[in-house]
Amino acid sequence: MNFTVLTIFPELIQPFFFHGIIGKAIENSILSASTMDIRDFAKGKHRVTDDRPYGGGCGMVMKPEPLAGAIRAAKEKTPQSSVIHLTPQGRPFSQKVARELAVLDGMILVCGRYEGVDERVCQGLIDDEISIGDYVLTGGELAALVVIEAVARLVPGALGGDQSAEKDTFEDGLIEHAHYTRPDEFEGDKVPGVLLSGNHAEIEKWRLESSLKRTFLKRPDLFKEKKLSKQEKEILEKWREQIRQIIERG
Ligand code: ADE
């Protein structure tokens, strides 16, 4: 998977390619990543990338020529890549969308600035538009990094040996189970005994129950989309019975 980020602030993006899981995956040639400075495609001494909006109004609009030049140059380097514009008007980003993007050959991430991008570029050269949430950032750079981070870890091999994205929160429609590490007692609070038992079947059962509990308490909305397994139904029915008894004892 190749990531190319088109931005007027490449220095904001580049450090990200040298650290953590993404840095390792790039080192191991599982991912490749680079930036292109949109300003390099702007004409004139001042290499201007924005201009006043036709029709008046406040704010500035990204000029079409530098952006189109940058997109075409990136496409020439990685012709199979999809061109993705980061904008609050895009489709909402989620783990599901990240999984969908993780199978692409590459992504050319277009970071707008100012009030927005000239509509002719959006219409002609963009394959997809993504928003990372219903709030407005001053540019697409942080959104591009969010998308890269979420997608990169789903590319096979990117997480390395013993790590896996399959158990992540949202992957099976649930929040992930609680995690513990040493010491086994912290400020009087003990790690649940089952996790020290070495009984893998029991540990898996505990983890599933923990996932269901956390989803029920923190993100009950996720159940609307979730298809429950037989084991998940059994756990929920056990709780229903326990809750019924509590109410009846009332
Ligand atoms: N650019 C500005 N705000 C954004 C958002 N919420 N998502 C993606 N790109 C953006």
Side-chain angles (χ1 to χ4, degrees), residues 86-88 130-133 135-137 139-140 143:
L86 287 314
T87 162
I130 286 182
S131 164
I132 61 159
Y135 41 81
V136 179
L137 306 168

